[in-house]
């Protein structure tokens, strides 16, 4: 997926300043589905070749890197 895909799907960008991180400034994207579930991307400095993905927050074993799969997942979560 591309960064623009996350933007188009409505993911929220969060910017972290160098002062906040204690190192360098970075940003990431996330999308919340109530209190039960959140999707989060890696930070921009961790993305290789503009290939973004999202994970279930606090569970790195559940990664979605295919745009169609992510669209399906979001549509299912919005129905619940």
């Amino acid at each position: 997926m591309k960064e623009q895909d996350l933007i188009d799907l409505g993911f929220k960008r969060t910017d972290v300043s160098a002062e906040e991180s204690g190192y360098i400034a970075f940003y990431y994207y996330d999308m919340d589905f109530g209190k039960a579930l959140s999707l989060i991307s890696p930070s921009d400095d961790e993305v290789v070749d503009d290939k973004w993905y999202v994970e279930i927050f606090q569970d790195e074993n559940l990664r979605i890197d295919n745009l169609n799969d992510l669209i399906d997942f979001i549509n299912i979560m919005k129905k619940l």
Side-chain angles (χ1 to χ4, degrees):
M1 286 184 292
K2 302 284 185 194
E3 181 176 7
Q4 188 62 47
D5 294 328
L6 298 178
I7 294 166
D8 292 345
L9 288 171
F11 277 77
K12 178 187 74 158
R13 178 177 162 156
T14 300
D15 291 283
V16 179
S17 69
E19 293 79 26
E20 289 175 292
S21 75
Y23 182 56
I24 60 168
F26 65 90
Y27 64 90
Y28 62 90
Y29 292 91
D30 67 318
M31 179 180 280
D32 294 324
F33 299 95
K35 295 180 182 179
L37 183 80
S38 296
L39 296 175
I40 189 165
S41 75
S43 60
D44 65 306
D45 61 335
E46 297 175 315
V47 174
V48 178
D49 296 329
D50 196 31
K51 293 181 182 175
W52 289 74
Y53 59 88
V54 295
E55 297 173 335
I56 304 294
F57 184 66
Q58 296 186 337
D59 190 343
E60 296 175 2
N61 295 315
L62 298 170
R63 179 180 288 189
I64 303 171
D65 59 4
N66 177 282
L67 178 59
N68 290 328
D69 291 344
L70 181 56
I71 291 169
D72 289 344
F73 183 86
I74 290 170
N75 287 334
I76 289 168
M77 291 305 297
K78 286 182 176 181
K79 288 181 182 180
L80 300 178

